């Protein structure tokens, strides 16, 4: 009897109508949630006056109330030649100051795949945007390559063209270097971003309008990630002179917002970029959220009392619209980052608009706090809005409002006593339950385009998905990389400095951010570390050009990749407790061991885990075939599954004798259940053989050994060819001993092997028919990963199915390991990772190829801790260019840690006067 509910046809018309209404309401609710979902700010990149490069440096200067304005640098223009305190003097400026960047002429073109010549012809604004966009993505923990091809949006506020003026216009050779559109489009092009890409010019409100557009796109579902920001660079003195001539600039070179002595603003330059996602996506991706944008709005003054005059009514309207978009009442706003240019006309209009929109209903004991970053940096024009927004996001993140500068006496044209407002002139704690703090940011363009954004702090974050047992590892792997060796050393120095500064991260979180949330460049370093002190010491040594023990260094050539083979040994290296540390701390490994134990235990009177990991009581002779084969198969499958869960995928697999069963499982030839069934049947039948067999290793070639087997047909055979001078024979004990005596007479070293039966010998003939019959009913398939058969020494690929007859022959025929390894090498395989308890096949494999050929790596070593061995091999794989899933390798997603961004190796990229003259020459008409 079905328990399903009645179909819609069985309902009455009225009930069907109610169901339809409920369905439509649910869809409307979903649309409304998407339309109003907060937008998470997950990363910030900035380069601002006074050396405020990056959010940490900017915050420290804001927190400490640092004035970042200085005199015009000598490399911009001759300030003495242009300065005149008399505002009316044509062609001069009444100020000597501004908010300037250092080294605006420098850039690392090669990092972005740009030639030196093209970089020199690019507007520095474009170059700054490239750098701060990269840094914003790194700060957000977003690897740019993972965004390639995605519908990621780019919105850039930009409104000055000083470099074009410096070039004497925009000649054909300079169009892509100076066009506003390219400022955004170049980011999309270089990062291969396929979403909207546009430059926004609304003058001073450009970058805040850019953020508004990004939020709209994200809420509409057009993009999943967006970059939004702005840029401004001052290179052309005549631009400064023009602003001075119309009375916009402060003669004393300071923006005194809200002060009675406010007499204009001081210009500033810089760039800022933020990375945005919908809050739900940021949460799902495990991103750190600095703050959220709850709502935004943009409007226009329209026909007001002057094209460039501020309009109080329009300012009130845009603030109310942003509050409505944020579903936030005005009296709940704690702080507003004002446009605050510091003019006698603009400041009173803005303060009255804030009082009218955010004052009603406010608790008099909780006045609205005001401030303006322009008192620190100057007015960054197209980048002013993003600078103010970054300031507020950082203040929300740190729970503190930084001081507003240069306020001595409040502007008398504002009735401060009647308005519930106060200027935050000192560092002000901003405590509040998470998700309750609210702030606004205003930015008004001098052409009348106004923008306001409502921000809030971060709601409570869910815990990162870290396995508590996996987090208890004795060693971690820390990676760092760069495009050049010098940059690697600089990055190591930056990381070491980060570990010396608060807050102190956990080792696991520090390594996870460096490994999983950073781009891995060609020049790589991998450092196994046990604690933060060791990590800092190793990084300091690397920064000094040293190479500590256990540190792996490599350079991955462009367009090349290692070809990796998983190699599975046969019986012989097993021991109790092999992989025990891994079983305790690695869930994937433990899961495969437990599943194998469940399957094997159904066939044996003993428990697999008791054999592998005895805890007192009975101990089993693990070297006996009855126990060795099941435990080795389980261990090999678990190791391979673990490596694959870490993103390390083999290009081929190879198994030696028993090891071929685990190799076949990895290749997809059969299921784990079938593999266990084959091992059980093999073990059951071989235990029926009489104990008269023997195997021995001989330090001689297969050809030489075979020549001694005449007369022993049906008694002794070559069981394995493990190297040019490494052959194993197997058969009747007396016959094997006779062959060994002949070999020893020729001074050939021999060594009897400890085995329960004579594998790969004529002695197996009596059980082969029953073995094939017993496994005939199992399911076999084609290899999904190329499978190097060691009895055929041939690569088996898709289209070639295994069957019971294959495993019959595999049990009887000799293991041609030498030929198989050489065949792999001939196909270009150069990296061999052993899936076993020790380095059995590594030592044999090295002898099969010319000295120094191949990279040979182990998974376990009985003399060393499991994690120490695995981490060392992972370090080598990484520095050789093999891809690793670092989140999986680290045991899950840890909370992101603030790490230093890439150390650009900048050089001067500037057109000298002679080159500028050439730029100004008209291109000769070839006709």
């Amino acid at each position: 009897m079905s328990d399903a509910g009645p179909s819609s046809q069985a309902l009455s018309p009225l009930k069907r109508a109610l169901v339809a209404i409920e369905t439509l309401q649910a869809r409307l609710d979903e649309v409304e949630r998407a339309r109003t979902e907060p937008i998470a700010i997950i990363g910030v990149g900035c380069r601002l006056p006074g050396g405020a490069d990056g959010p940490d440096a900017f915050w420290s200067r804001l927190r400490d109330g640092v004035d970042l304005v200085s005199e015009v640098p000598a490399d911009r223009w001759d300030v003495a030649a242009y300065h005149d305190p008399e505002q009316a003097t044509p062609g001069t400026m009444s100020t000597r100051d501004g908010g300037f960047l250092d080294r605006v002429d420098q850039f690392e073109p090669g990092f972005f795949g740009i030639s030196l010549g093209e970089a020199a012809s690019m507007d520095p604004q474009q170059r700054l945007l490239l750098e701060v966009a990269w840094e914003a993505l790194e700060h957000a923990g977003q690897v740019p390559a993972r965004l390639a091809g995605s519908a990621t949006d780019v919105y850039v506020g930009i409104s000055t063209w000083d470099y074009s003026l410096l070039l004497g216009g925009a000649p054909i050779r300079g169009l892509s270097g100076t066009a506003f559109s390219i400022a955004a489009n170049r980011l999309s092009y270089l990062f291969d971003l396929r979403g909207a890409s546009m430059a926004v010019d609304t003058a001073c409100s450009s970058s805040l309008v850019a953020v508004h557009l990004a939020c709209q796109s994200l809420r509409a579902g057009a993009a999943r990630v967006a970059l939004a920001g702005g840029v401004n660079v001052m290179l052309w003195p005549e631009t400064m002179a023009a602003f001075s001539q119309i009375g916009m600039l402060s003669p004393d070179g300071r923006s005194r917002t809200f002060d009675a002595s406010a007499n204009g603003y001081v210009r500033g330059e810089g760039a800022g970029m933020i990375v945005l996602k919908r809050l739900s996506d940021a949460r799902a991706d495990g991103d750190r959220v600095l703050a959220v944008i709850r709502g935004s709005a943009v409007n226009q003054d329209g026909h007001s009392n002057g094209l460039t005059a501020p309009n109080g009514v329009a300012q009130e309207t845009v603030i109310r619209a942003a509050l409505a978009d944020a579903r936030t009442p005005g009296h709940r706003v704690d702080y507003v980052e004002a446009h605050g240019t510091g003019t006698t006309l603009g400041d009173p209009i803005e303060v009255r608009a804030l009082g009218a929109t955010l004052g009603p209903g406010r608790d008099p004991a909780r006045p609205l706090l005001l401030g303006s970053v322009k008192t620190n940096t100057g007015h960054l024009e197209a980048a002013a809005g993003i600078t103010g927004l970054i300031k507020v996001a950082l203040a929300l993140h740190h729970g503190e409002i930084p001081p507003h500068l240069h306020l001595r006496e409040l502007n008398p044209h504002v009735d401060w006593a009647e308005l519930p407002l106060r200027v935050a002139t000192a560092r002000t704690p901003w405590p509040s339950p998470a998700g309750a703090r609210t702030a606004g940011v205003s930015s008004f363009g001098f052409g009348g385009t106004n923008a306001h954004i409502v921000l809030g702090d971060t709601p409570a974050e869910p815990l990162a998905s870290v396995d508590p047992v996996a987090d208890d590892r004795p060693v971690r792997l820390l990676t760092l990389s760069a495009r050049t060796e010098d940059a690697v050393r600089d990055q190591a120095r930056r990381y070491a400095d980060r570990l010396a500064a608060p807050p102190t991260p956990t080792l696991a979180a520090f390594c996870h951010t460096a490994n999983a949330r950073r781009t891995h460049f060609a020049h790589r370093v991998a450092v196994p570390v046990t604690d933060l002190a060791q990590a800092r010491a190793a990084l300091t040594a690397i920064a000094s050009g040293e190479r500590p023990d256990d540190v792996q260094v490599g350079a991955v050539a462009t367009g090349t990749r290692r070809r990796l083979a998983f190699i599975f040994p046969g019986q012989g290296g097993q021991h109790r407790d092999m992989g025990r540390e891994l079983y305790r701390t690695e869930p994937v490994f433990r899961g495969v061991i437990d599943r194998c134990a469940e399957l094997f235990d159904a066939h044996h009177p003993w428990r697999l885990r008791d054999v592998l990991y005895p805890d007192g009581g009975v101990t089993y002779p693990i070297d006996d075939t009855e126990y060795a084969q099941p435990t080795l198969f389980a261990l090999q499958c678990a190791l391979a599954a673990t490596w694959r869960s870490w993103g390390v995928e083999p290009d081929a697999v190879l198994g030696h004798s028993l090891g071929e069963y685990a190799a076949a499982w990895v290749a997809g030839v059969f299921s784990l259940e079938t593999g266990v069934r084959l091992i059980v049947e093999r073990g059951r039948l071989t235990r029926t053989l009489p104990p008269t067999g023997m195997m021995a290793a001989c330090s001689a070639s297969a050809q030489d050994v075979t020549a001694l087997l005449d007369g022993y047909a049906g008694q002794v055979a070559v069981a394995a060819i493990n190297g040019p001078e490494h052959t194993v024979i197997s058969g009747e004990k007396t016959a094997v001993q006779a062959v060994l005596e002949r070999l020893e007479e020729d001074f050939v070293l021999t060594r009897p092997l400890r085995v329960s039966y004579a594998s790969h010998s004529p002695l197996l003939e009596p059980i082969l028919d029953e073995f094939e019959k017993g496994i005939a009913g199992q399911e076999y398939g084609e290899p999904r990963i190329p499978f190097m058969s060691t009895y055929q020494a041939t690569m088996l690929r898709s289209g070639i199915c295994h069957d019971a007859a294959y495993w019959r022959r595999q049990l009887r025929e000799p293991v041609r390991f030498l030929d198989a390894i050489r065949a792999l090498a001939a196909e270009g395989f150069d990296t061999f990772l052993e899936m076993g308890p020790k380095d059995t096949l590594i030592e044999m494999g090295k002898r099969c190829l010319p000295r120094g050929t191949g990279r040979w790596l182990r998974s376990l070593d009985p003399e060393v801790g499991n994690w120490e061995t695995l981490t060392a091999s992972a370090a080598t794989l990484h520095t050789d260019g093999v891809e690793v899933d670092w989140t999986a390798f680290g045991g899950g997603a840890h909370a992101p840690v603030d790490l230093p961004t890439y150390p650009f190796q900048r050089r001067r990229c500037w057109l000298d006067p002679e080159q500028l003259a050439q730029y100004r020459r008209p291109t000769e008409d070839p006709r």
Side-chain angles (χ1 to χ4, degrees):
M1 179 177 176
S2 172
D3 60 357
S7 66
S8 60
Q9 288 76 15
L11 298 175
S12 68
L14 178 58
K15 288 184 176 179
R16 287 202 301 271
L18 289 172
V19 170
I21 291 171
E22 289 175 353
T23 301
L24 288 172
Q25 185 61 53
R27 291 175 180 172
L28 286 172
D29 291 344
E30 184 178 349
V31 170
E32 183 63 13
R33 281 194 298 272
R35 194 183 72 79
T36 60
E37 180 174 8
I39 301 301
I41 301 173
I42 63 171
V44 171
C46 61
R47 192 169 167 200
L48 297 167
D53 299 343
D56 290 342
F58 185 38
W59 175 250
S60 70
R61 287 158 175 77
L62 290 172
R63 181 197 59 211
D64 296 340
V66 179
D67 184 343
L68 304 175
V69 173
S70 61
E71 187 169 275
V72 176
D75 61 358
R76 298 303 177 89
W77 59 78
D78 184 350
V79 67
Y82 280 93
H83 179 255
D84 190 326
E86 296 297 327
Q87 178 181 316
T89 305
T92 65
M93 58 191 76
S94 60
T95 181
R96 305 176 64 94
D97 297 324
F100 288 94
L101 300 179
D102 298 327
R103 301 176 297 157
V104 76
D105 60 326
Q106 295 188 16
F107 181 62
E108 185 181 355
F111 181 87
F112 297 100
I114 297 171
S115 70
L116 181 60
E118 183 182 4
S121 69
M122 286 167 55
D123 189 328
Q125 294 181 119
Q126 291 190 22
R127 305 192 314 223
L128 281 171
L129 286 169
L130 288 173
E131 291 184 349
V132 298
W134 182 274
E135 290 169 347
L137 289 169
E138 285 200 326
H139 188 247
Q142 308 298 298
V143 177
R146 295 178 195 156
L147 297 177
S150 69
T152 296
D153 288 357
V154 178
Y155 301 92
V156 170
I158 182 171
S159 65
T160 55
W161 56 93
D162 285 20
Y163 199 61
S164 182
L165 295 171
L166 196 64
L167 295 177
I172 297 299
R173 285 174 290 171
L175 282 177
S176 65
T178 57
F180 281 179
S181 59
I182 301 299
N185 300 163
R186 195 184 293 275
L187 291 173
S188 300
Y189 167 73
L190 288 175
F191 297 150
D192 191 21
L193 309 178
R194 309 292 178 84
S197 180
M198 61 185 73
V200 178
D201 181 8
T202 59
C204 314
S205 59
S206 299
S207 55
L208 218 57
V209 172
V211 174
H212 168 74
L213 294 173
C215 292
Q216 287 189 318
S217 177
L218 289 166
R219 282 177 163 171
R224 194 175 188 277
V225 182
L227 289 165
V231 65
N232 190 52
V233 175
M234 302 180 294
L235 301 171
W236 194 245
E238 281 78 2
T239 304
M240 184 90 85
F243 281 125
S244 180
Q245 292 294 299
I246 58 176
M248 298 177 74
L249 301 187
S250 166
D252 56 17
R254 295 296 181 274
S255 294
R256 304 187 186 279
T257 306
F258 309 134
D259 193 83
S261 64
N263 57 358
Y265 70 84
V266 57
R267 295 186 75 206
E269 66 183 10
M273 189 71 69
I274 57 175
V275 184
L276 302 171
K277 286 184 183 179
R278 291 179 291 273
L279 181 60
S280 58
D281 289 335
R283 288 278 181 259
D285 296 343
D287 298 320
R288 180 261 329 268
V289 178
L290 297 170
V292 294
I293 295 174
R294 294 179 179 160
S296 63
V298 172
N299 76 353
Q300 234 286 333
D301 288 350
H303 188 75
S304 58
N305 62 340
L307 174 64
T308 62
N311 185 322
V313 174
Q315 291 179 19
E316 291 181 28
T317 302
V318 77
I319 293 170
R320 289 194 175 98
L323 291 169
D325 189 48
R327 304 294 192 272
T328 299
H331 68 270
R332 294 294 302 276
V333 177
D334 306 312
Y335 171 80
V336 168
E337 175 65 21
H339 179 66
T341 52
T343 61
T344 54
L345 176 65
D347 285 355
I349 291 174
E350 181 174 10
V351 172
R352 293 187 196 111
L354 291 171
T357 53
L358 307 180
R362 182 174 294 276
D363 182 351
R366 187 173 160 268
L368 175 70
L369 299 179
L370 304 179
S372 176
V373 75
K374 292 178 179 65
T375 62
N376 301 91
T377 62
H379 184 1
L380 271 65
E381 296 161 358
I386 194 66
T387 306
L389 186 145
I390 290 172
K391 170 188 170 181
V392 172
L394 295 175
L396 286 164
H397 182 62
H398 290 282
E400 183 178 9
I401 297 171
H404 174 96
L405 308 185
H406 309 313
L407 183 65
R408 297 184 179 86
E409 180 184 349
L410 289 169
N411 190 315
H413 302 294
V414 176
D415 193 353
W416 297 95
E418 296 299 318
L419 295 174
L421 314 173
R422 180 168 64 84
V423 181
T425 55
R427 287 172 60 177
T428 305
W430 200 358
S432 180
R437 288 177 293 199
T438 305
V441 181
S442 292
S443 195
F444 309 136
F446 82 149
T449 298
N450 309 303
H452 189 80
I453 290 183
V454 179
L455 293 93
D457 62 351
T458 311
E461 299 185 21
L463 295 175
S465 57
V466 180
D467 186 301
V469 177
D471 204 34
D472 187 30
R473 295 180 183 175
V475 63
R476 292 277 172 179
L477 189 63
L478 172 63
T479 68
L480 60 155
S481 68
R483 290 198 182 274
T484 66
E485 291 183 13
D486 287 344
V488 169
R489 287 190 288 271
D490 284 350
Q491 189 71 300
R493 185 176 300 106
R494 289 185 175 197
Y495 278 18
D497 291 343
R498 168 64 186 88
L499 288 177
T504 302
T506 66
L507 179 64
F510 186 85
C511 292
H512 175 261
T513 302
N515 299 348
R517 290 178 171 266
R518 285 289 190 269
T519 297
H520 295 289
F521 297 102
H523 291 271
R524 300 181 176 188
V525 175
V527 189
V529 290
T530 56
D531 54 45
L532 291 173
Q534 184 195 7
R536 185 184 175 196
L539 290 166
T540 301
I542 294 166
S544 301
E546 302 173 18
R547 181 175 173 178
D549 293 341
D550 299 329
V551 169
Q552 294 294 324
V553 177
V556 181
T558 303
T560 64
R561 64 179 294 271
R562 289 273 180 172
R563 300 202 70 194
L564 172 65
F566 283 5
I567 56 177
F568 299 78
Q571 187 175 337
Q574 66 280 345
H575 60 88
R576 277 191 292 271
D577 289 331
M578 53 185 179
R580 184 166 195 148
E581 185 181 36
L582 203 55
Y583 182 80
R584 184 179 65 83
T585 56
E586 173 49 57
V588 172
F589 183 90
R590 182 169 58 250
V592 175
I593 292 289
D594 287 349
R595 178 57 181 153
C596 286
E598 181 183 353
L599 295 169
F600 277 119
D601 290 353
H603 298 280
H604 296 127
W606 43 266
R607 292 168 53 86
L608 183 84
R609 282 185 295 257
D610 291 342
V611 179
L612 270 172
Y613 311 124
D615 286 316
V618 178
T619 59
Y620 295 86
I622 197 170
D623 287 330
D624 286 359
T625 298
E626 179 182 0
Y627 308 108
Q629 293 191 358
T631 54
L632 276 172
F633 176 79
L635 178 84
Q636 291 172 348
C637 291
L639 285 172
T642 300
W643 279 110
R644 297 182 77 185
S645 76
W646 295 340
V648 179
E649 288 289 347
D651 299 299
V653 295
L654 173 152
H656 187 290
S657 189
L658 174 73
E660 209 164 288
Y661 292 85
W665 174 70
V666 171
V669 170
F670 49 61
S671 67
L672 196 64
E673 290 78 4
T674 295
V676 167
R677 182 61 190 161
L678 266 62
I679 295 292
V680 167
E681 192 67 11
R682 172 180 166 138
R684 182 183 69 83
L685 292 171
T686 55
R687 287 198 300 274
T688 67
L689 295 171
T692 58
M694 177 180 180
M695 299 181 73
C698 314
S699 298
S701 70
Q703 183 179 1
D704 290 343
V705 172
T706 302
L708 298 177
L709 299 184
D710 290 344
Y712 296 99
Q715 295 178 282
V716 183
V718 170
I721 307 168
N722 292 333
E725 301 289 331
H726 187 185
T727 306
V728 176
I729 59 174
S730 179
E732 287 283 357
K733 184 174 183 179
T734 55
V736 170
Q737 288 175 333
V739 174
L740 295 182
E741 288 175 2
R742 294 183 61 183
L743 287 167
E744 289 167 357
E745 288 174 0
D746 293 333
F747 303 100
V748 173
L749 295 177
T750 64
R751 178 172 56 88
L753 302 180
R754 189 167 55 181
V755 295
S756 303
Y757 66 94
S759 187
H760 305 286
S761 81
L763 273 63
L764 297 179
E765 296 290 346
I767 67 170
L768 294 180
D769 288 343
E770 189 175 352
F771 179 62
E772 182 176 2
K773 181 180 178 181
I775 64 174
Q778 303 300 314
E779 291 187 10
Y780 305 93
E782 304 174 6
R784 292 193 292 271
I785 298 171
F787 178 97
M788 176 59 72
S789 168
T790 48
Y791 97 78
Q792 295 178 339
T794 301
M795 189 78 86
L796 306 183
R797 294 181 167 85
S798 60
I800 301 176
C801 284
H802 286 232
D803 55 18
Y806 175 90
W807 295 103
R808 172 196 175 116
R809 294 190 297 272
Q810 191 268 353
L811 179 60
R812 169 62 182 87
E813 298 298 322
V815 178
R816 296 168 59 190
F817 181 73
L818 169 64
D819 293 337
I821 285 291
R822 286 178 171 174
L824 281 176
E827 290 202 22
F829 284 84
D830 54 7
T831 303
F832 306 91
L833 179 58
E834 182 160 353
M835 301 292 139
K838 54 185 298 187
D839 56 356
T840 305
L841 292 188
I842 290 175
E843 293 306 311
M844 293 195 306
K846 287 179 178 179
R847 291 193 289 265
C848 295
L849 301 176
R851 183 182 296 273
T853 300
R855 183 78 78 181
W856 302 86
L857 303 171
R858 67 189 72 186
S859 295
L860 296 177
D861 183 336
E863 304 300 322
V864 179
N866 294 172
W867 279 110
E868 188 175 344
T869 306
L870 289 163
T871 299
S873 292
T876 302
L877 289 171
H878 171 66
T879 54
D880 282 347
V882 176
E883 293 295 325
V884 177
D885 181 339
W886 293 109
T887 297
F889 183 82
H894 297 259
V897 172
D898 274 339
L899 291 184
T901 53
Y902 188 86
F904 293 114
Q905 305 296 292
R906 299 183 179 98
R907 58 183 298 185
R908 180 173 168 80
C909 298
W910 207 253
L911 295 175
D912 293 320
E914 298 79 11
Q915 295 170 300
L916 286 173
Q918 288 218 326
Y919 252 78
R920 294 189 177 107
R921 291 179 195 138
T923 303
E924 194 174 306
D925 191 336
R927 295 175 297 178

